[in-house]
Amino acid sequence: MTAEVKHYLDEAREKMEKSIRHLEDELSKVRAGRANPSMLNDIKVDYYGTHSPLNQVSNVSAPDARTLLIKPWDKSLLHVIEKAILASNIGLTPMNDGEVIRLNIPPLTEERRKALVKQVHHLAEQSRVSIRNARRDANEIIKTLQKKGLEEDEAKKAEHEIQHTTDAYITRVDKHVEAKEKEIMTV
């Protein structure tokens, strides 16, 4: 395989890997009934005029499966954090005791579990589409190289390699979805 072809294969693989990382990140935000500090990753707090991520102005932990504990480094931020959580519409009500903020995670209803599974499948399909787009782009580049003089055998090998890589990444997506679905449906 020529160096140029290998470069484009590596580029496609890199795009597919980014798609998997994005899926993992999105799946970590889907609430599965267990307390997970990453549920709060998108919450920004007004820290002296600067919008800072919650985990940069406080310690966020999960002392048990149903509770998140937020301990700000500056106690004057308690009310600001409380307002940010309420404004974020994550469906959790903060309890401020003057030292820390507790978030109790209610158990999921069967209906909510099914809705979350649908959301997970939607995220997985977006990831699959992204992976297939990377495959399409790589195949188009190979066809262009073939028109410019790349041997047919070399192009077929590259296309086969691209398809093999795509199949492997689609399988990884399916495994992530299967694991998340099992986590959501476990009571």
Side-chain angles (χ1 to χ4, degrees):
M1 203 174 295
T2 66
E4 189 175 17
V5 170
K6 187 164 176 30
H7 167 74
Y8 289 117
L9 289 176
D10 289 343
E11 203 173 88
R13 204 172 280 119
E14 193 174 303
K15 287 179 185 176
M16 292 178 190
E17 188 62 40
K18 280 183 184 175
S19 181
I20 293 288
R21 282 195 306 268
H22 179 72
L23 175 67
E24 290 169 346
D25 184 48
E26 290 300 311
L27 288 178
S28 75
K29 294 174 188 170
V30 174
R31 185 165 74 94
R34 283 193 200 96
N36 185 347
S38 67
M39 293 167 56
L40 306 177
N41 281 353
D42 290 338
I43 296 178
K44 302 275 191 253
V45 176
D46 184 18
Y47 184 62
Y48 299 109
T50 305
H51 287 287
S52 304
L54 178 62
N55 60 4
Q56 289 183 8
V57 296
S58 63
N59 184 22
V60 181
S61 62
D64 60 57
R66 296 265 178 241
T67 309
L68 283 174
L69 193 66
I70 304 164
K71 185 170 182 162
W73 294 314
D74 182 354
K75 285 192 173 72
S76 67
L77 287 176
L78 281 168
H79 293 294
V80 176
I81 292 172
E82 204 172 357
K83 285 180 185 175
I85 291 170
L86 289 170
S88 70
N89 289 326
I90 58 172
L92 300 175
T93 306
M95 290 183 291
N96 181 351
D97 68 4
E99 295 287 318
V100 295
I101 294 176
R102 289 185 201 305
L103 296 172
N104 288 325
I105 313 295
L108 297 172
T109 63
E110 188 68 24
E111 185 179 306
R112 183 68 179 133
R113 287 178 195 280
K114 288 178 181 175
L116 288 174
V117 167
K118 280 184 183 178
Q119 181 184 354
V120 165
H121 284 283
H122 178 71
L123 291 171
E125 189 54 36
Q126 286 178 332
S127 192
R128 287 185 198 105
V129 167
S130 175
I131 289 168
R132 290 183 196 122
N133 285 342
R135 174 188 63 191
R136 183 199 62 221
D137 294 347
N139 281 336
E140 286 175 2
I141 290 170
I142 297 301
K143 284 185 173 80
T144 303
L145 290 175
Q146 192 175 3
K147 288 177 185 173
K148 291 181 179 178
L150 183 68
E151 292 181 23
E152 190 174 339
D153 289 348
E154 196 70 29
K156 292 288 182 201
K157 272 187 204 173
E159 287 174 359
H160 177 74
E161 179 66 27
I162 290 167
Q163 185 58 48
H164 178 73
T165 303
T166 301
D167 293 343
Y169 278 94
I170 295 289
T171 301
R172 283 179 62 188
V173 168
D174 293 342
K175 285 181 181 175
H176 281 299
V177 169
E178 187 180 313
K180 190 65 175 184
E181 189 173 344
K182 183 179 178 186
E183 180 183 337
I184 290 171
M185 296 309 283
T186 302
V187 178

